Structures are given as C-alpha cells and as structure tokens.
Amino acid sequence: MKSRASLVHADGEPAGGSPARAASLPGTLSEELRAELIAFRRDLHMHPELGNQEFRTTAAIKARLEQAGLAPRVLSTGTGLMCDVGEWDGETPMLALRADIDALPIPDVKTGVPYRSTVPDRAHACGHDVHTTTVLGAGLVLAELDRRGALPHAVRLIFQPAEEVLPGGAPDAIESGVLEGVGRIIGVHCDPKVDVGKIGLRIGAITSACDRLEVALDGAGGHTARPHLTTDLVTAAARVAVDVPALLARRVDARSGLAVTWGRLHTGHACNVIPQHAELSGTVRCLDLKAWREAPDLVHAAVDEVATTHGAKTVINYVRGVPPVVNDAASIGLLDAAMTERRGPYAIEDTEQSLGGEDFSWYLEHVPGAMARLGVRAHGDTRGLDLHRGDFDVDEEAITVGVELFTAAALLNGAR
C-alpha cells in the first residue's frame, strides 16, 4: 500500500517539535465560539442518548444551526439531521462533513468533572459528542464565511444517528438522501492514543469489518454420570468456542485478519446435569473487504462442522455489520493539506488499521472519502484511556483542532 507520506510532504520534524503555526486560511475559531463549543459538548456529554433515541441531541443541533440562519432537515428516521452551508449550484459536487451523535449503554464512572453523564448507564464513551461538536462548529464557521462571500462551494453537514447499532445508522441516513449532490465525504474519530493537536491518517483500510455472530446449540441432555447417552452440549459449546476460530484461521488468507472472538457463552444450571441448550455470541472482524464478503458462508460451515462432530444441532444468526472503512487517497491528501495548512506537517502522523468497526464505511460504498484519527490525549497523560470505557474523556482542545481541520478542508476542496 502506498504510504500517506509519499503523497504529500517528506519534511523531517525539527528538534523540539513544532508549535501550531499561524493559519493563512480563514476559518479559525474566535475565543467566544471556542468557549461555546466546549459548553455545547459538555451539555451533550451530560445528556447521552442511545442510537435512534437521540431526540434531545437532534433538537439541540437543529436549534443552533437555525440560530445561525441555516436550514437543517431532520432525517426521515426521526433523529439526526442534514444541513447545507451555502447554496448548492446543482452541479458542483459538495464536500460532506459527517458526525455521529449517539452514545453507549455503559455507566459514566468519571469523577471530579462537572459534565459527568446525568443518565444512568449511558455515556459518551466513544467521543461522539466531540465529533458532533466539531461538525457543528465547522458549520457555524463556514456559515459566517459564506455570509462574507468567502466559501467557494456549498458544504453538507451530516449528523448521523445510531452508529453504535449494527449495521449502523449510515444506511438509513443514505436512504434519507444525505449523499445527494455529495462528491466526497470526510469525518474524524477520537483517538486517545494520539496527542491533542495532531491527527492520524492512513490510505486504504483504517478500520475492520465487524459482524455479530449468535450460535444456539441443542441436543438431548441428561445426567453427567452418563454422558455417552447424551449430546454433551457443554463440551460441544466449548469446542465451538475454541475450534471455530482455529478452523477459520486455516481457511482464509492470514493477511485478511478474519477473527471470531466470543463475548458470551451460556449453558447449564447444575453441576450434575448436562443441559439441552447452549448459546454463544461474539463478533466476526475482518481487515479485508473480499474476505468480509465471504465470511458468512465460511463461518456457517465451520460452526456446523464442529457442532456436528459432537452431535449438536445448530441455529446460527449471522448479523451483517459494517465493512472496513477504506480511505480514498485523494481524500487523505485533502485532509493532509488541510492539517498542514492549519498546524504544519508535524501535526500529522501515520496511523495503523484498527480492528474496530465504523459505519462511516457505508458512505464510502457510494462516494470517495476518508476518516482521520483526531488526537484527544492530553499532553503528558499516561493513564492509557481507551474508547468504550466509562472513564473515557478528551482534551477539549481537540474540538478546535477538528473544527479548523474541517473548515480548511472545505476551503481547499474546490482548489485542489
């Protein structure tokens, strides 16, 4: 795969690092707007809503965009919205900025912060509140530039619901028309492994495919004293858990990264009773698009083969999730140029492919685009925070970085 650096700059970083440089493009944030956006993000953080239930979040975004003189449209699903900044000429493809707006069903365990979640067992533990705020902030800045005649082309803002709900809210958003007139789409995802003030870029796949797998096993149970007269479902379930991933590792190219990982195994209630039913559930992740398309048949065959060996009957529910996010080289070039313009080339680092899934990938089935990793780790923070944890938090300077990245990309898009 061609490296990102080969497309753009090859400068070495000077000793001592590099401070943020003065931007030559318009679209930087005023202190007043910076403070407003931090307050907006904290409000979202205090009131997290699950996928397809983001009514308060949708209303808050809509109200602020309307206050700026824009005309947002709520999606046909009832939550999420789209909004154009500038008047589309009907011909020039628009650049779309995408944010996801939903939260996770986990408790917020942060202490000592005034914006801790007020909703039990709900938290913005993946940074969607930051994603939303950066796209909102970019929309407000671009709207002001448009009023001054400084926005070269119309830009589409997409606030998408239900990213955390397989197969994601992106297909419904696309069905609602968010990509009509769009020629390119970009987004960011918080990355607690990247320092605030930087972004991570990668050409090609930056996430993996992610599907859900549920397996039910059934057979004649009985007394543990006579396992030879039963279908030993405990052993069958254990062998499915161990042998299916091992079989798949020998039936696909190892470079595809196809991996079944179990998160739940349940069977039985008593120590001397062989049960009649067992259940396993987990995820199927894959780094390669071709292997992902073949995965359902391969997984079905492997599960049936192992279960049949132990005399168990199977019911398999393979829930299609999301394909990998495959970043377009030209879109990575745009993000690289935008970040270089704002903060210099030393604010960009190469990033690895993640095994996490992201429904941004569905947009890329229709238009080219790219997702960047947005650094949110405070300088000197050694806690090792990760996504999908109740103590996840960000350095809020990342909001400014995200807004200025998006606005620079919008201004450069028509000029590249």
Side-chain angles (χ1 to χ4, degrees):
M1 178 177 295
K2 197 172 187 180
S3 71
R4 174 196 60 80
S6 68
L7 289 184
V8 282
H9 50 76
D11 307 65
E13 183 172 355
S18 65
R21 69 182 197 172
S24 59
L25 281 179
T28 55
L29 273 69
S30 67
E31 287 302 320
E32 181 181 5
L33 181 55
R34 190 192 312 268
E36 180 192 346
L37 292 176
I38 289 173
F40 189 91
R41 178 257 169 174
R42 292 185 176 189
D43 180 72
L44 294 185
H45 200 86
M46 292 172 67
H47 302 93
E49 297 174 300
L50 299 184
N52 296 315
Q53 301 173 26
E54 313 96 332
F55 297 103
R56 183 187 184 278
T57 303
T58 298
I61 300 166
K62 183 173 183 287
R64 186 60 184 92
L65 291 172
E66 288 176 338
Q67 183 184 340
L70 299 172
R73 292 165 281 169
V74 176
L75 303 185
S76 59
T77 52
T79 62
L81 59 162
M82 57 190 286
C83 181
D84 290 349
V85 182
E87 185 174 351
W88 183 43
D89 62 13
E91 296 181 3
T92 307
M94 285 183 285
L95 176 69
L97 314 178
R98 176 269 197 173
D100 38 12
I101 66 175
D102 57 325
L104 285 162
I106 63 176
D108 187 340
V109 299
K110 290 188 295 296
T111 58
V113 297
Y115 50 86
R116 184 177 176 180
S117 172
T118 61
V119 184
D121 299 321
R122 302 288 186 270
H124 270 294
C126 201
H128 293 188
D129 52 340
V130 174
H131 306 165
T132 299
T133 305
T134 59
V135 172
L136 173 66
L140 298 178
V141 172
L142 293 172
E144 177 59 29
L145 292 177
D146 185 53
R147 282 189 287 271
R148 289 160 34 193
L151 183 63
H153 303 293
V155 176
R156 169 77 46 82
L157 313 178
I158 300 172
F159 298 92
Q160 177 215 299
E163 190 277 330
E164 299 286 356
V165 182
L166 288 178
D172 288 335
I174 293 167
E175 185 68 22
S176 293
V178 299
L179 292 183
E180 293 174 9
V182 169
R184 188 178 307 282
I185 186 168
I186 58 175
V188 297
H189 198 295
C190 290
D191 191 338
K193 300 186 298 298
V194 177
D195 285 338
V196 68
K198 293 187 174 185
I199 62 169
L201 296 180
R202 178 185 175 89
I203 297 170
I206 192 172
T207 69
S208 78
C210 179
D211 300 332
R212 188 170 76 244
L213 175 62
E214 299 167 346
V215 178
L217 303 175
D218 290 285
H223 202 293
T224 57
R226 292 175 288 279
H228 59 291
L229 300 179
T230 73
T231 300
D232 187 352
L233 281 186
V234 175
T235 297
R239 296 318 312 179
V240 167
V242 173
D243 292 349
V244 167
L247 275 176
L248 290 170
R250 292 296 178 267
R251 293 182 179 177
V252 296
D253 189 326
R255 292 170 296 182
S256 71
L258 181 64
V260 173
T261 305
W262 305 104
R264 175 177 173 269
L265 192 162
H266 176 77
T267 184
H269 298 282
C271 67
N272 61 346
V273 177
I274 294 175
Q276 295 176 295
H277 184 74
E279 296 177 352
L280 302 92
S281 58
T283 59
V284 181
R285 298 182 186 271
C286 187
L287 301 176
D288 177 73
L289 189 58
K290 179 178 181 294
W292 176 72
R293 299 194 192 284
E294 298 171 350
D297 290 340
L298 291 169
V299 170
H300 271 78
V303 171
D304 283 338
E305 182 176 331
V306 175
T308 299
T309 300
H310 295 274
K313 298 177 180 179
T314 63
V315 176
I316 301 170
N317 182 27
Y318 193 107
V319 182
R320 240 356 182 172
V322 295
V325 172
V326 182
N327 285 339
D328 165 65
S331 301
I332 288 295
L334 175 63
L335 287 166
D336 195 303
M339 193 63 172
T340 299
E341 182 67 34
R342 292 298 192 205
R343 305 230 163 189
Y346 319 109
I348 304 165
E349 60 185 50
D350 291 322
T351 193
E352 62 187 9
Q353 184 176 3
S354 165
L355 278 170
E358 233 292 351
D359 77 347
F360 185 80
S361 54
W362 291 120
Y363 299 111
L364 304 185
E365 299 277 301
H366 300 270
V367 297
M371 172 168 280
R373 303 286 187 197
L374 178 66
V376 298
R377 181 174 61 193
H379 296 290
D381 189 343
T382 59
R383 291 175 295 168
L385 294 183
D386 199 0
L387 303 171
H388 288 222
R389 276 176 39 170
D391 59 351
F392 173 74
D393 205 355
V394 305
D395 185 320
E396 290 171 320
E397 175 63 17
I399 296 170
T400 297
V401 177
V403 171
E404 295 186 352
L405 173 69
F406 281 141
T407 54
L411 293 171
L412 291 172
N413 185 50
R416 290 181 59 78

